[in-house]
Amino acid sequence: MSRTAWMWVVVVLTTTAIATTFLFTPRFPVPVPDAGPPLTPFAWSAERTLAAGDGIRGARDGAGTQARFDDPWGIVVMEDGTRYVADAGDNNRIRRIAPDGTVATLAGGVEGFADGTGMAAAFNTPSALARDLDDNLYVADTGNHAIRRITPQGVVTTVAGTGEPGYRDGPGAQAQFNGPVGIAVDGRGRIVVADTYNDRIRIIGRDGQVTTLAGGDAPGFLDGTGSDARFDTPTAVAVDATGIVWVADLRNDAIRRIEPHGGVSTLPLRPDTDTTMGPRRPLALALTHEGHLYVGELYTGRVMQVMRDGRWHVLAGHLPGQRLSRPAGLAVDAAGRVHFTDAGSHRVHRLAPLTAGAAPTASPVGPSPDDPLPDTAGRWPLAPQDGWHEVVGTLGEVRGDYEGESRHHLHGGLDIRGDVGATVLAITDGKVSSPSAAWGFDGLGEGLGVGALDYIHMRVGRTPRGDLLDPARFQLLHDLSGDPSRIRVRRGTRFAAGDPLGTVNRMAHVHLSIGPSGYERNAIGLGFTGFTDAYPPRIDEVALFDTLDQPIDAKQDGRIVVPRALQGVRIVVEAWDQVDRNLPRRRLGLYTLGYQVLHDDGTPVAGYEAPRMNIDFQRLPSDDAVQVAYAPGSGITVHGSAVTRFRYSVTNTVRDGMWAEGTWQPDTLPPGDYLLRVSARDHSGNEAQGRRDLKLRLP
């Protein structure tokens, strides 16, 4: 063969090889790990177990399940099973969980900015943690706008940051960050920082020099290289074996990928299914040894497995009664188990593969019901804070959707009437935990979360004219057209009782809610100066229906005849409440309802020695429960009903965040005359008296 022919053969073969690479190499190739643990299967079944924290906010070392955390965020795990946790809130310390579960404090303990050893050091809202090959820990010290290092001996030093917010590259001691929340260490020992409120990804080299890898001078959503790319509130970073930086781009609902040269792309995720949505508001990230992702979500309270090809699977937090409040930090151990913090529940958990055919073991989840409510000293969120204000809505009331559905969702929290434009005031001291604490800009549902409390239906941080109340704490962002687009409040921002938070919007009331989503508690329990309630609830009707929603109303001798052959009976109670000094037209929902079956002489039937209080609004369930708690015909005037009506299905169960449909089974009783008695109470303990009895005959 001639030399020219050989050259053409080489060209053809080379071209074919290159084309094959493009055709068959996945868009985001999986790094090939060294020999080690087996590959992580997709969609594995996880069993969650509690590692530490009793669910009560506090600072207590000791045995794991008796220890207390405040705002546990970042987590790393060592080869021997030791875990380190950044505990923010009022604790501002780094905790150590030994392999046997014992919790101790490694460093910190007061809010401040000081290097030193152990408790002589001070942090301000420590968030993510990372480690290097020498077992040094690195802390994203959010409130100090700094990156800190902790040696295995507990010696704390500052790697970069001045303690003041800003944006400046250069030597560590002069560089500036703006509320960094995420941190990782790559294979070369460089520190990668999610500089959250600068909307950039920064690098701290081994020589201490700070540079910007990607991101520009404003939040946005744009792929590109270096400063041409845009992020919006990045909160977590992880670096794989090939040097790719993965980013949890919180407000863009996206997982981003940064090449070593700074090229940014977005991981295309599989679409939502009919029953499950994909990742939303990604907050935390961790990598498996072969480069796949685990993601913790901010609002939906789930831990998810996300593959590099965009497939995703929910591992935890999606089942009824198993919701996580804020999975803020994730770490993977050498055996592939996932360790994570649940910041809003003050707990640390572990996910491990569930043995095939086995049922998951019950393990505590969510904040403890014994977690004390904030001490508000009876303050109202409006001036005068020690005066009286009208309560116009309570937790658990039915709400519609303005589109004809009168039973669309359940009302959370407590509504307090206020004049449009009135200043909303903090009712207790609090610290912002969420990296995205304000929402709904210029909408009716605009609000702000401070500590365990949410203040809703206000112009956050703004006067009625739109001027900022406090530019140091409220940052007004603008869109590309220069128009105001939203308010940003940094994680770690503090407010004192009485501080202005915003002004009442067109809803003409302040909505107060307490507790993380999925574990919201009845805010009336906070107590408010001058609030009294001596009015018992009023029952307008007690009605019976069969399982096809047909009324059971035939009477004999003044008694409702209930055929014993029915498959089940639904009991519906129409009732409402008022509190002292309410306007006469005001109707409020009830706190708890139930029923009791009595013999005709008034003595309880066996099994009904006490009322079955099936509906209880101490804790708000999911909106999926609204049509379980409320029967057809329920609704409020704001959403189109002619009159506010609360029609409770008291044979269904809605309590402790759970819900289930149910019926009364008359076939369990012998024929005869009976009395059905309804119990209906408000939060003050007043019980309805009139119209609560229904005479029955079972033929």
Side-chain angles (χ1 to χ4, degrees), residues 391 394 414 521-528 531 591 683:
V391 172
T394 59
L414 188 74
R521 299 164 70 179
N522 200 315
I524 197 69
L526 292 169
F528 295 89
F531 176 85
Y591 175 62
H683 195 274

Tab-separated table of all heavy atoms in Angstrom, residues 391 394 414 521-528 531 591 683:
chain	number	residue	atom	x	y	z
A	391	VAL	N	-58.479	38.938	65.929
A	391	VAL	CA	-58.115	37.692	65.264
A	391	VAL	C	-59.180	37.375	64.229
A	391	VAL	O	-60.366	37.301	64.558
A	391	VAL	CB	-57.968	36.546	66.275
A	391	VAL	CG1	-57.792	35.207	65.556
A	391	VAL	CG2	-56.795	36.793	67.208
A	394	THR	N	-57.977	31.338	61.933
A	394	THR	CA	-57.253	30.407	62.786
A	394	THR	C	-56.765	29.206	61.977
A	394	THR	O	-57.212	28.954	60.853
A	394	THR	CB	-58.133	29.913	63.947
A	394	THR	OG1	-59.303	29.259	63.411
A	394	THR	CG2	-58.585	31.079	64.820
A	414	LEU	N	-52.242	32.069	62.099
A	414	LEU	CA	-53.198	32.941	62.771
A	414	LEU	C	-53.238	34.267	62.022
A	414	LEU	O	-52.196	34.861	61.745
A	414	LEU	CB	-52.747	33.171	64.221
A	414	LEU	CG	-53.706	33.913	65.142
A	414	LEU	CD1	-54.872	33.011	65.528
A	414	LEU	CD2	-52.972	34.376	66.399
A	521	ARG	N	-47.469	24.501	63.877
A	521	ARG	CA	-48.262	24.401	65.093
A	521	ARG	C	-49.237	25.561	65.185
A	521	ARG	O	-49.106	26.569	64.477
A	521	ARG	CB	-47.326	24.370	66.301
A	521	ARG	CG	-46.390	23.162	66.269
A	521	ARG	CD	-45.230	23.300	67.212
A	521	ARG	NE	-45.627	23.220	68.598
A	521	ARG	CZ	-44.779	23.294	69.621
A	521	ARG	NH1	-43.482	23.456	69.390
A	521	ARG	NH2	-45.193	23.209	70.865
A	522	ASN	N	-50.223	25.421	66.060
A	522	ASN	CA	-51.254	26.442	66.186
A	522	ASN	C	-50.693	27.673	66.883
A	522	ASN	O	-50.347	27.637	68.067
A	522	ASN	CB	-52.444	25.881	66.966
A	522	ASN	CG	-53.699	26.673	66.716
A	522	ASN	OD1	-53.681	27.898	66.727
A	522	ASN	ND2	-54.804	25.977	66.477
A	523	ALA	N	-50.600	28.782	66.146
A	523	ALA	CA	-49.969	29.995	66.666
A	523	ALA	C	-50.775	30.652	67.776
A	523	ALA	O	-50.235	31.490	68.507
A	523	ALA	CB	-49.732	30.989	65.533
A	524	ILE	N	-52.029	30.291	67.953
A	524	ILE	CA	-52.800	30.879	69.053
A	524	ILE	C	-52.187	30.492	70.387
A	524	ILE	O	-52.351	31.174	71.397
A	524	ILE	CB	-54.282	30.438	68.971
A	524	ILE	CG1	-55.167	31.346	69.811
A	524	ILE	CG2	-54.450	29.000	69.381
A	524	ILE	CD1	-55.295	32.749	69.273
A	525	GLY	N	-51.408	29.385	70.389
A	525	GLY	CA	-50.757	28.946	71.617
A	525	GLY	C	-49.639	29.858	72.072
A	525	GLY	O	-49.144	29.724	73.197
A	526	LEU	N	-49.214	30.812	71.222
A	526	LEU	CA	-48.183	31.764	71.634
A	526	LEU	C	-48.680	32.662	72.754
A	526	LEU	O	-47.899	33.099	73.597
A	526	LEU	CB	-47.752	32.633	70.442
A	526	LEU	CG	-46.983	31.931	69.320
A	526	LEU	CD1	-46.877	32.843	68.109
A	526	LEU	CD2	-45.594	31.527	69.808
A	527	GLY	N	-49.972	32.947	72.766
A	527	GLY	CA	-50.534	33.858	73.756
A	527	GLY	C	-50.333	35.306	73.351
A	527	GLY	O	-49.242	35.688	72.934
A	528	PHE	N	-51.390	36.100	73.461
A	528	PHE	CA	-51.329	37.499	73.044
A	528	PHE	C	-52.009	38.369	74.096
A	528	PHE	O	-53.077	38.021	74.616
A	528	PHE	CB	-52.021	37.674	71.690
A	528	PHE	CG	-51.334	36.946	70.568
A	528	PHE	CD1	-51.667	35.631	70.270
A	528	PHE	CD2	-50.328	37.557	69.845
A	528	PHE	CE1	-51.026	34.952	69.254
A	528	PHE	CE2	-49.674	36.887	68.832
A	528	PHE	CZ	-50.023	35.577	68.529
A	531	PHE	N	-55.899	39.081	74.598
A	531	PHE	CA	-56.731	38.127	73.873
A	531	PHE	C	-57.483	37.244	74.866
A	531	PHE	O	-56.875	36.583	75.715
A	531	PHE	CB	-55.870	37.248	72.972
A	531	PHE	CG	-56.648	36.163	72.255
A	531	PHE	CD1	-57.288	36.433	71.065
A	531	PHE	CD2	-56.740	34.883	72.789
A	531	PHE	CE1	-58.007	35.444	70.410
A	531	PHE	CE2	-57.452	33.890	72.146
A	531	PHE	CZ	-58.090	34.172	70.939
A	591	TYR	N	-61.094	24.226	66.989
A	591	TYR	CA	-59.802	23.624	67.309
A	591	TYR	C	-59.864	22.111	67.271
A	591	TYR	O	-58.997	21.443	66.711
A	591	TYR	CB	-59.354	24.116	68.674
A	591	TYR	CG	-58.089	23.485	69.202
A	591	TYR	CD1	-56.886	23.641	68.531
A	591	TYR	CD2	-58.086	22.736	70.382
A	591	TYR	CE1	-55.709	23.076	69.002
A	591	TYR	CE2	-56.923	22.163	70.861
A	591	TYR	CZ	-55.745	22.333	70.176
A	591	TYR	OH	-54.597	21.769	70.654
A	683	HIS	N	-59.745	26.678	71.031
A	683	HIS	CA	-58.438	26.518	71.649
A	683	HIS	C	-58.445	26.919	73.119
A	683	HIS	O	-57.613	26.446	73.904
A	683	HIS	CB	-57.392	27.334	70.883
A	683	HIS	CG	-55.981	26.972	71.219
A	683	HIS	ND1	-55.302	27.532	72.290
A	683	HIS	CD2	-55.119	26.093	70.643
A	683	HIS	CE1	-54.084	27.013	72.346
A	683	HIS	NE2	-53.946	26.147	71.364
